[in-house]
Amino acid sequence: MPEPATRRARDWLPRIAGTGVLVAFAVLVASVRSFTWPALVLTAVAGMAVLVMAARGPEPGRAAPPRRGLAHWGVLAGAVVAWELLVFVQSPRDEHPTISSMLDGADAHPPLRAALFVGWILLGRELARR
Amino acid sequence: MSARSSTLLGWGLLAAAFVVLEVRARVRRERFATVGDALDRLLRNGVARAILLLGWLWLGWHLFVR
């Protein structure tokens, strides 16, 4: 039986390696410009990786989610969609920023773009393993 | 107040509501669902799961490709 320290290291190594790969990939994505083939290919590769994870289904052993207290999330989601639509139909965009137009500001800053990419992948991973 | 300030205030209030609901749910788990619980519930439905994953893919394309 492995020592606890060895076991801990064995548990953490894949996580550290995975984080390193994700950050390196995010830096690569942040270094390419939108509307180019490299941007499309890199985003598609990451998207496909998460979809493959999703195809395996939820992680085994996940507890059944509770039924109570869900309505307020539906109300909040509805409010976000309503506000986005209300803002979207108005112009100029500078005066009525949508979520997309606010995030577009990150486009010119590679570190922000890389952080956004990491956030997108983590969101996808959460959706895939639930 | 300018239109831009009003719009940003709206976004700020929605973001604050998200934080308040999540913190309240984490403090009183027996009564309120966290956003993770809500996603768990939603993703048990195959159609909702497919729609959310497609929406996530579209978001990636929208943010990093187009």
Side-chain angles (χ1 to χ4, degrees), chain A residues 2-117:
Chain A
E3 295 290 316
T6 312
R7 210 166 49 228
R8 272 200 303 275
R10 203 179 52 197
D11 289 346
W12 277 98
L13 272 177
R15 289 180 188 198
I16 293 169
T19 304
V21 169
L22 174 58
V23 170
F25 203 87
V27 169
L28 192 60
V29 170
S31 70
V32 299
R33 300 181 61 166
S34 298
F35 300 105
T36 61
W37 280 104
L40 176 63
V41 170
L42 290 172
T43 307
V45 166
M48 287 304 132
V50 171
L51 287 187
V52 166
M53 197 193 298
R56 292 191 300 202
E59 278 181 346
R62 287 192 78 86
R67 284 177 176 276
R68 79 285 170 278
L70 291 168
H72 56 264
W73 289 114
V75 171
L76 182 61
V80 169
V81 170
W83 189 244
E84 172 79 357
L85 289 175
L86 191 69
V87 172
F88 181 73
V89 296
Q90 298 182 69
S91 59
R93 187 57 60 231
D94 266 0
E95 286 292 303
H96 304 279
T98 58
I99 295 175
S100 296
S101 70
M102 289 188 284
L103 292 177
D104 276 348
D107 229 22
H109 306 283
L112 283 180
R113 195 169 151 87
L116 207 55
F117 184 82

Side-chain angles (χ1 to χ4, degrees), chain B residues 25-48:
Chain B
R26 283 176 187 268
V27 171
R28 303 182 66 186
R29 295 262 346 208
E30 75 289 350
R31 284 200 61 189
F32 300 106
T34 63
V35 70
D37 294 333
L39 277 178
D40 273 340
R41 193 88 225 159
L42 196 60
L43 289 166
R44 293 213 152 195
N45 179 302
V47 175

Side-chain angles (χ1 to χ4, degrees), chain A residues 83 94-95 97 102, chain B residues 3-14:
Chain A
W83 189 244
D94 266 0
E95 286 292 303
M102 289 188 284
Chain B
R4 182 177 173 81
S5 302
S6 308
T7 307
L8 291 175
L9 179 65
W11 287 124
L13 288 174
L14 289 168

